[in-house]
Amino acid sequence: MTLDEKYEELREKLFVDPNEEVEYPPVAISYGAYKTKDAEYHTPLGTYGNFSFVQAPPKSKKTFFISMIASAYLADTTKNTGDILGHRNNKKLVHFDTEQGTFHAQKVFKRVIDLAKTNDNYQVNLDDYDTFALRTLSAPMRTKFIDWYLEKYQDEIGFVIIDGIADLVLDVNDIKESSAIVQDIMRWTEEYNIHIMVVIHSNFNSDKPTGHLGSFLEKKTETQIQLTVREDSQDLVDVICKRSRSYPFENFSFEVDFLGLPHIIDKIDDILRIDTKF
């Protein structure tokens, strides 16, 4: 194939006809719903073919939030996740943990299964949930493994979680590295029609995600989700829609119960909490 033929093929692949009717991407994970004059729609946290990211300072219970997202995707809904709904369509959930060793990573993965079991109609099938602890790999090897895995099993996968996107680069302030990994995420989601949710820390005393990597994520993401521990109640974490290309979801809160399982706090519970302070 000549260079001209290669670019002609690329031109045909990338061309978007302004007159063609393009359907809205199907929702992968949602929270609540919104109405138009014609219909009611699920409010997306993420759609297939796109990526979202969760930012939080240390000790903000981000792995508990990710556990809720994962369990809702697996089981469609659970008793703990309220209006968070999964739209799995028999696709596989893949969960990469880059930060923790096998013992602690497994605790997170088990929590997802325990939450999914709170939906009595969900029959646990571990073939639906692939889990990996990547801590022992180098940053370049983590990316290569994810790239290999997604290409090989692309027909089976629907939703991917990368808990610790910063561990796929050597330096979150390296512009070339940061741009390259975000480009990988955009390519993976587009080529395999999957949704990827990644997790990154916030800068100290700031609501900005860490480094140039965080800035690139902000520019390219479908949904930017921020977790904030309440100053007046350290048990409650607010989930904030900081930015969305879609209809923004309504902010909500969650806490972790005495069994170590997170659950959504609805508006009535929140009002009761406020009332009991006086």
Side-chain angles (χ1 to χ4, degrees), residues 11-12 15 43 74 80 90-91 95 104 109 111 133 151 156 164 172 176 182-183 203 205 209 249 255-256 263 275 278:
R11 184 193 72 83
E12 294 179 6
F15 176 72
T43 306
L74 269 183
N80 286 41
N90 296 317
K91 290 289 188 175
H95 196 158
H104 291 98
F109 303 148
R111 185 192 303 135
E151 181 178 9
E156 303 174 26
V172 294
K176 290 184 178 179
V182 173
Q183 191 62 45
N203 286 326
N205 283 338
F249 67 85
E255 67 177 352
V256 180
H263 64 94
D275 287 347
F278 299 99

Side-chain angles (χ1 to χ4, degrees), residues 78-147:
T78 78
K79 292 178 180 177
N80 286 41
T81 53
D83 290 335
I84 301 176
L85 301 179
H87 309 268
R88 188 161 63 89
N89 300 322
N90 296 317
K91 290 289 188 175
K92 187 188 293 285
L93 168 66
V94 186
H95 196 158
F96 298 105
D97 189 300
T98 67
E99 298 180 343
Q100 304 182 105
T102 301
F103 176 81
H104 291 98
Q106 188 193 53
K107 283 183 66 176
V108 175
F109 303 148
K110 283 184 174 180
R111 185 192 303 135
V112 172
I113 297 299
D114 289 341
L115 285 168
K117 287 178 179 177
T118 66
N119 178 354
D120 296 333
N121 296 319
Y122 174 66
Q123 300 298 316
V124 176
N125 181 357
L126 294 182
D127 290 337
D128 296 335
Y129 186 33
D130 281 359
T131 53
F132 301 95
L134 307 186
R135 182 181 180 180
T136 57
L137 301 179
S138 66
M141 194 61 202
R142 291 175 189 131
T143 303
K144 289 178 181 178
F145 176 76
I146 293 173
D147 189 40

Side-chain angles (χ1 to χ4, degrees), residues 142-160:
R142 291 175 189 131
T143 303
K144 289 178 181 178
F145 176 76
I146 293 173
D147 189 40
W148 167 82
Y149 180 90
L150 296 182
E151 181 178 9
K152 184 174 180 65
Y153 297 100
Q154 59 184 280
D155 294 335
E156 303 174 26
I157 300 167
F159 194 91
V160 176

Side-chain angles (χ1 to χ4, degrees), residues 212-231:
H212 287 304
L213 176 57
S215 297
F216 278 110
L217 288 170
E218 283 187 308
K219 293 174 183 176
K220 304 298 184 181
T221 190
E222 177 186 30
T223 311
Q224 181 178 355
I225 302 169
Q226 180 174 321
L227 305 185
T228 304
V229 177
R230 289 197 192 174
E231 294 183 2

